Amino acid sequence: MDLRTTEAPPSADERLAVDSVLGPPESGWFGGGRTPLDGHIAVGGLSLARRRRHLLLPSLHALQERVGSITPAGLGYLCTRLDMAPAEAYGVASAYALFSFEPGPPVVVHVCDDVACLAASGGDPAGDLARHHGPAGSRTAVTWRPSPCLGHCEHGSAALVQAAGERGGRASLAPFARGDMDRLAALGADLVLADLPVPLALVPQAGAEGTRLLRRVGRLDPSSIDAYRAAGGYEGLRRALEIGPQGVVAELKDAKLLGRGGAAFPTGAKWEAVARNPVRPHYFVANADESEPGTFKDRVLLDHDPYALIEALTVAGVTTGAEKGFVYLRGEYPLAAARLEHAADGARRRGLLGGDVMGSGIAFDIEVRRGAGAYIAGEETALFNSLEGRRPEPRNKPPYPVDRGLFDKPTGVNNVETLLSVLEVLSMGASAYAQLGTPDSTGTRLFCLSGRVARRGLYEVPMGTTLGSLLDMAGGVAAGRPLRAVLLGGAAGSFVGPDDLDLPLSFEGARAAGTTLGSGVVVVLDDTVDMTAFVGRVARFFRDESCGQCVPCRVGTQRQEEAVARLAAGRPLGSVDDELALLADLDQVMRDASICGLGQTASSAVTSALRQGLIGDGAHLANGRRR
Amino acid sequence: MSTLPPAPTPLTLRRNVQVTIDGEQVAVPEGSTVLEACRARGAEVPTLCYLETLAPVNVCRVCVVELEGSRALVPSCSRPVAPGMVVQTSSERVRTSRRMVLELLASSVDLSTAGGDVHRWIEEHGARPERHGPPAPAADRDHTHAGHHDPPAVGKAATAAQPVKRDNDQYVRDYAKCILCYKCVEACGEEAQNTFAIAVAGRGFDARISTEFDVALPESACVYCGNCIAVCPTGALMFVSEHDLRAGGEWDESRQEVTRTVCPYCGVGCNLDLHVQDNRIVKVTSPLDHDVTRGNLCVKGRFGFEFAQGG
Ligand SMILES: Cc1cc2nc3c(=O)[nH]c(=O)nc-3n(C[C@H](O)[C@H](O)[C@H](O)COP(=O)(O)O)c2cc1C
Ligand code: SF4
Ligand code: SF4
Ligand code: SF4
Ligand code: FES
Ligand code: FES
């Protein structure tokens, strides 16, 4: 490869940032000081440098945090270190929302204007901010930008503060009021992120009888491994080591545990396929990229019960024969990042991770990697590409991850809630677990209640609980107003109406009703919500989050947003029927011909909104079939 | 890399696999793609991002077919055949998706130099790009921020329209014509040239082919091998000579002659196809099926022809 990087030298800060991830340069060949030897010996280390490409994303984070943007000189130095072409590195970096490429203000406040906050605010959070603080991205010391869902939806408003400099980094602020923006603006570059209040989690059931996944949340010190162990922690791993991989897989199969990440894939079968694959090494990934608008369940678990994920991922690793596990955590969860790192360190110190896990002689360790603002990186194969330092673009399937996943090796990947449910299966035993829920959807499920509901928060109920009783638990619609609709499953889900309150929240119940549980999103909408703006926001989300790889989704999400805007403005091209036909065509091509689940579900909410007459002039699509 | 001849086909015969295409049985060698099976059966399946000499990236989705037992349609260009597959190449579902892919492309990209097949497919499938509205004005597509965009005025259709990039004497890049088929990136990188001067940047509708920070080609790693031009299906990448003749209304393929010769510069023996109009070389290609070049050349063979016409 003809590597050619920019001539401009990196600043001292940029060097420090990159070296903090990669270590000091090995020699003059890699951007270090030149020694007389460099001119005489050929270096065989280039392929080694290239093998560190997976450190691209961590290094980009370091640059962004230290200097506030990715500059040509900073990227050039990084590319020299990794022996990587700058065009490729730029291609990767520019696919993420949290990196910027123009020198910007030291403090950027990303303010959520997505579905749950939009519904809760009863107005237009981004518009309000613009009126008081000037347009997004203005060149003041503290600027703001609208953001997709930040995963703190139970507060009804949220922001992520990103600061550059020696003590640069990120912190969440939820709830977030306009006054907070005033205070941040007044502080300017003097802001100390650590001084910001740590967001709480709203878990109305915390510690209540009958909760499983939530039983430790809010009751334990999340930084204490002793507290975790005293509450029964690490009994799951002990049992997994006792009964061995075959035993664990049998338990998961008997428990009929299905994945909570959206696709409802049987977990036991997945683990078995990885465990049996003769190709080595194996990897296991905890998918903590949680970015589906309206979802905050994984955040609550990670913030308040971090050891549980570390333990569960260790169970997955020792069962599937992986020596290395990754937690892929969305970049907007700084608190979870710190607590997970702390928990992994604690486990390592106690011999619960590392060369000899719990004295079993089995080696397994965990690394926490941060995403950088890309919903698509939660799709499992895009996630692998992201970890490898490539663009977060989904891969073609087959081959499936259990055959060729991370670094093209057999890989298991599960959602956080799935992994924590594995611990419940191990602690209760498969048959007791299978008693919970319905025969086909066993166990409990987390639901994220947000929007116009009396008690927003995270709820855990047995699978099969009806939508109506879940809403009742949360006190019904806020201020006793009439229910207009519920967005179920997230932006990739669909709307259900006031007539659907007896819908059983199980995989088969949702399927039979033509909808999906998705990631457990329940955004409650009453008659105060501007449905046109709400559906427009969903359309904009997919337009912004498409990876752009395939035509149906890249152009289809753009055209869908435009068509929804025309209907909303009452300015159809041709007749309203023409527009509905166009939207139906877009729905079909995205659903049928897109590469991945993003494009395949990008029209689902819009289509269901039209069918239910939630937008436009009440026009329904010709055939009343709901999907 | 590209100059390595393909591995000789082993003499042991590959097993045949039986599949059903549009109701008829065909037998194709194991390891073939569904596309190859469709072609063996004589069914026309349009392709845009597929090229025999590149690993399939299956991104354009114009080649999708209906596979029995599969929830979504499948890209024929990359899906290997399996015994007993039942495939429809022209069902209502397939035709709708194909029509929409073509319509979406035609509504957002300038396909004027994309070749006759594309226009025939658009016509045959009844794609109607105009129903998405008149195009929004050209926009700066090189400095978009992932996850943010300004929607076009209500009633207007966003497109890839942007100024032509002309920053060197060899070729122009007119990304208003780019369908993002990834072929140039593949050819510049792993699949042929190993230079990695260009990559896909940005995401979603703002995704684009770019050098680092959109620097001009002379500041990039580009070595002007032109292998990207050779694979570009839409004319987004074009010899300056062809671009200027077209701009002057003088490009006329009926007046062109293609002469095959061997590159005079070195001993590798690359075949050159010289495209000559009015006694001047207007572009140079290399045959895809040539086992030395597989369509690729270096800067000397591709652009070093001025001496042949007296400077
Ligand atoms: C666009 C897109 C985004 C996704 N994001 C997530 C995510 O943030 N977290 C997650 O667990 N799964 C996500 N998934 C699903 C994963 O691809 C995968 O199915 C899941 O992690 C498997 O875990 P499970 O078997 O435990 O459900 C996403 C899928 C798509 C198509
Ligand atoms: S469907 Fe969308 S997100 Fe998925 S690969 Fe295609 S363009 Fe990317
Ligand atoms: S001319 Fe060659 S080196 Fe330059 S961009 Fe095209 S393929 Fe890459
Ligand atoms: S420039 Fe040409 S080859 Fe490259 S992606 Fe665009 S259309 Fe394809
Ligand atoms: S944090 Fe605002 S929608 Fe989730
Ligand atoms: S030709 Fe198959 S997807 Fe493009």
Side-chain angles (χ1 to χ4, degrees):
Chain A
M1 178 169 64
D2 319 300
L3 190 62
R4 176 169 168 170
T5 51
T6 169
E7 249 93 277
S11 71
D13 274 346
E14 287 170 331
R15 239 174 216 286
L16 278 171
V18 172
D19 293 355
S20 73
V21 178
L22 301 179
E26 295 76 12
S27 72
W29 291 94
F30 298 99
R34 290 190 62 85
T35 70
L37 270 183
D38 284 343
H40 298 283
I41 48 164
V43 183
L46 286 174
S47 67
L48 196 78
R50 266 172 234 167
R51 263 183 269 141
R52 297 206 298 173
R53 178 174 179 153
H54 64 97
L55 292 173
L56 178 63
L57 203 51
S59 307
L60 289 166
H61 274 303
L63 282 169
Q64 175 73 39
E65 275 166 16
R66 187 87 185 196
V67 292
S69 68
I70 312 289
T71 70
L75 192 74
Y77 177 64
L78 174 54
C79 287
T80 311
R81 296 296 314 278
L82 295 179
D83 192 41
M84 189 176 176
E88 267 200 297
Y90 178 74
V92 174
S94 60
Y96 294 98
L98 292 182
F99 299 137
S100 54
F101 300 91
E102 272 137 32
V107 180
V108 181
V109 186
H110 301 264
V111 182
C112 175
D113 69 348
D114 214 332
V115 285
C117 294
L118 192 63
S121 77
D124 167 18
D128 274 0
L129 221 50
R131 273 186 293 282
H132 286 85
H133 291 277
S138 60
R139 295 187 160 272
T140 42
V142 178
T143 190
W144 72 279
R145 279 179 173 284
S147 167
C149 174
L150 289 167
H152 290 77
C153 329
E154 81 263 41
H155 296 289
S157 59
L160 176 79
V161 185
Q162 203 174 8
E166 216 164 308
R167 281 185 300 179
R170 303 187 193 118
S172 307
L173 209 50
F176 176 81
R178 223 170 46 220
D180 294 317
M181 188 68 202
D182 293 330
R183 278 186 284 282
L184 289 171
L187 281 170
D190 294 333
L191 169 72
V192 179
L193 287 175
D195 292 348
L196 293 175
V198 172
L200 303 174
L202 299 185
V203 186
Q205 286 168 301
E209 217 25 58
T211 55
R212 304 292 318 176
L213 299 166
L214 293 180
R215 79 189 122 104
R216 287 178 299 266
V217 167
R219 313 188 87 197
L220 295 187
D221 173 359
S223 66
S224 164
I225 191 167
D226 292 324
Y228 180 69
R229 295 192 79 160
Y234 278 99
E235 284 309 313
L237 178 60
R238 184 176 307 286
R239 176 136 191 266
L241 290 169
E242 263 164 34
I243 62 180
Q246 280 183 354
V248 173
V249 166
E251 285 285 282
L252 296 179
K253 286 184 165 177
D254 291 347
K256 296 212 250 172
L257 180 63
L258 302 179
R260 291 353 187 191
F265 192 85
T267 307
K270 189 186 281 188
W271 287 27
E272 184 173 41
V274 180
R276 290 218 169 138
N277 198 313
V279 176
R280 299 278 147 167
H282 296 174
Y283 294 102
F284 212 102
V285 179
N287 190 342
D289 194 47
E290 180 163 86
S291 311
E292 182 67 46
T295 316
F296 52 89
K297 65 187 178 78
D298 296 345
R299 184 204 101 234
V300 171
L301 298 174
L302 299 171
D303 281 356
H304 299 282
D305 200 7
Y307 284 101
L309 181 71
I310 299 296
E311 180 189 355
L313 185 51
T314 311
V315 170
V318 299
T319 303
T320 57
E323 282 196 7
K324 177 110 198 203
F326 289 93
V327 180
Y328 188 90
L329 178 68
R330 80 174 292 200
E332 293 87 342
Y333 285 174
L335 183 62
R339 291 189 172 168
L340 281 170
E341 296 272 12
H342 178 85
D345 279 349
R348 211 172 285 123
R349 271 201 302 275
R350 298 289 177 93
L352 298 168
L353 279 180
D356 180 18
V357 172
M358 216 181 230
S360 64
I362 301 173
F364 182 74
D365 213 332
I366 293 176
E367 232 186 279
V368 180
R369 290 290 179 91
R370 289 180 297 163
Y375 168 65
I376 190 57
E379 194 281 337
E380 54 196 15
T381 59
L383 188 161
F384 302 148
N385 279 339
S386 179
L387 278 175
E388 290 177 21
R390 298 172 200 285
R391 284 173 57 80
E393 291 174 353
R395 301 175 183 169
N396 195 35
K397 289 192 254 186
Y400 292 96
V402 295
D403 291 318
R404 283 178 59 188
L406 185 61
F407 302 113
D408 280 341
K409 300 297 182 200
T411 304
V413 49
N414 276 126
N415 174 255
V416 171
E417 184 186 346
T418 314
L419 286 168
L420 265 61
S421 299
V422 168
L423 295 183
E424 297 312 316
V425 170
L426 289 173
S427 93
M428 298 171 72
S431 52
Y433 188 85
Q435 297 291 306
L436 292 171
T438 72
D440 291 324
S441 303
T442 57
T444 59
R445 184 80 214 253
L446 296 174
F447 288 97
C448 310
L449 274 84
S450 66
R452 309 290 298 172
V453 62
R455 283 191 297 278
R456 293 189 293 249
L458 186 60
Y459 291 81
E460 180 180 13
V461 292
M463 286 270 197
T465 303
T466 63
L467 178 60
S469 35
L470 182 62
L471 292 185
D472 288 344
M473 283 175 77
V477 179
R481 299 196 74 94
L483 178 68
R484 178 92 192 274
V486 168
L487 177 62
L488 192 63
S494 59
F495 292 95
V496 296
D499 299 340
D500 296 310
L501 292 179
D502 52 0
L503 176 80
L505 298 172
S506 61
F507 291 118
E508 66 279 7
R511 201 175 311 121
T515 180
T516 171
L517 302 184
S519 49
V521 171
V522 180
V523 186
V524 178
L525 306 164
D526 65 10
D527 58 344
T528 66
V529 177
D530 176 351
M531 283 310 299
T532 298
F534 190 88
V535 175
R537 182 65 186 91
V538 173
R540 173 150 68 88
F541 175 78
F542 286 107
R543 153 64 175 82
D544 277 338
E545 299 296 332
S546 162
C547 83
Q549 202 182 182
C550 66
V551 175
C553 172
R554 178 177 75 240
V555 190
T557 54
Q558 171 73 39
R559 294 292 176 252
Q560 174 173 268
E561 186 195 21
E562 291 165 5
V564 168
R566 293 194 298 267
L567 281 179
R571 289 165 51 192
L573 282 169
S575 67
V576 168
D577 280 347
D578 289 339
E579 293 284 24
L580 296 180
L582 185 151
L583 281 163
D585 276 350
L586 289 173
D587 175 50
Q588 197 176 337
V589 69
M590 289 199 274
R591 195 175 287 281
D592 254 359
S594 295
I595 293 179
C596 84
L598 188 151
Q600 288 163 7
T601 57
S603 54
S604 155
V606 171
T607 305
S608 78
L610 288 168
R611 289 220 164 94
Q612 310 224 354
L614 295 174
I615 56 167
D617 43 9
H620 290 50
L621 282 193
N623 74 12
R625 190 166 58 93
R626 279 219 328 250
R627 299 207 203 196
Chain B
M1 293 300 234
S2 59
T3 48
L4 282 181
T9 321
L11 286 177
T12 49
L13 282 177
R14 287 197 290 170
R15 256 187 337 128
N16 270 349
V17 174
Q18 289 278 340
V19 296
T20 308
I21 309 285
D22 296 336
E24 276 187 43
Q25 295 265 329
V26 286
V28 288
E30 208 176 18
S32 307
T33 60
V34 170
L35 178 66
E36 285 161 335
C38 294
R39 289 185 172 165
R41 158 75 179 71
E44 187 189 24
V45 176
T47 60
L48 284 168
C49 66
Y50 170 79
L51 194 69
E52 289 79 349
T53 53
L54 302 173
V57 288
N58 51 255
V59 295
C60 77
R61 316 306 278 185
V62 78
C63 73
V64 286
V65 295
E66 195 166 340
L67 171 65
E68 214 175 87
S70 169
R71 187 174 44 87
L73 303 176
V74 303
S76 61
C77 65
S78 63
R79 175 61 71 93
V81 290
M85 273 184 168
V86 178
V87 170
Q88 302 288 338
T89 69
S90 201
S91 64
E92 190 54 38
R93 266 176 83 192
V94 170
R95 293 186 63 82
T96 301
S97 275
R98 220 186 260 164
R99 163 171 63 85
M100 286 307 293
V101 165
L102 293 163
E103 177 172 309
L104 291 173
L105 282 176
S107 74
S108 54
V109 177
D110 170 4
L111 294 174
S112 59
T113 51
D117 281 345
V118 177
H119 297 280
R120 179 169 57 80
W121 297 330
I122 289 176
E123 185 109 338
E124 282 173 7
H125 288 82
R128 291 191 295 130
E130 67 288 349
R131 67 179 171 145
H132 299 276
D140 175 3
R141 293 185 51 85
D142 292 317
H143 299 92
T144 55
H145 189 107
H148 296 271
H149 75 287
D150 295 321
V154 175
K156 292 285 190 331
T159 72
Q162 59 189 298
V164 178
K165 292 188 198 303
R166 182 171 187 157
D167 52 19
N168 67 88
D169 295 336
Q170 277 68 41
Y171 72 102
V172 298
R173 295 175 293 151
D174 184 357
Y175 290 129
K177 294 178 174 173
C178 174
I179 59 168
L180 223 68
C181 71
Y182 285 56
K183 282 178 181 169
C184 54
V185 176
E186 298 288 299
C188 186
E190 264 156 33
E191 298 274 328
Q193 181 59 27
N194 256 311
T195 292
F196 300 92
I198 47 176
V200 179
R203 76 177 185 217
F205 192 75
D206 301 323
R208 58 201 181 264
I209 306 295
S210 181
T211 57
E212 61 277 17
F213 296 91
D214 184 42
V215 300
L217 277 186
E219 271 103 72
S220 78
C222 176
V223 297
Y224 303 100
C225 64
N227 293 331
C228 52
I229 311 171
V231 296
C232 180
T234 62
L237 307 177
M238 199 179 264
F239 275 62
V240 163
S241 41
E242 175 173 350
H243 181 261
D244 288 352
L245 284 171
R246 283 184 186 272
E250 290 168 54
W251 180 260
D252 184 356
E253 280 173 23
S254 68
R255 267 155 57 207
Q256 289 173 14
E257 228 175 285
V258 180
T259 307
R260 179 152 310 174
T261 178
V262 174
C263 179
Y265 280 101
C266 79
V268 169
C270 301
N271 273 13
L272 301 182
D273 281 341
L274 305 178
H275 300 240
V276 178
Q277 178 177 327
D278 306 332
N279 242 347
R280 292 192 71 81
I281 299 171
V282 292
K283 89 174 161 189
V284 178
T285 56
S286 180
L288 281 190
D289 57 3
H290 188 256
D291 55 1
V292 174
T293 69
R294 293 168 66 80
N296 298 308
L297 292 171
C298 79
V299 58
K300 294 175 292 228
R302 183 83 63 191
F303 289 111
F305 52 77
E306 279 306 305
F307 78 94
Q309 38 205 26

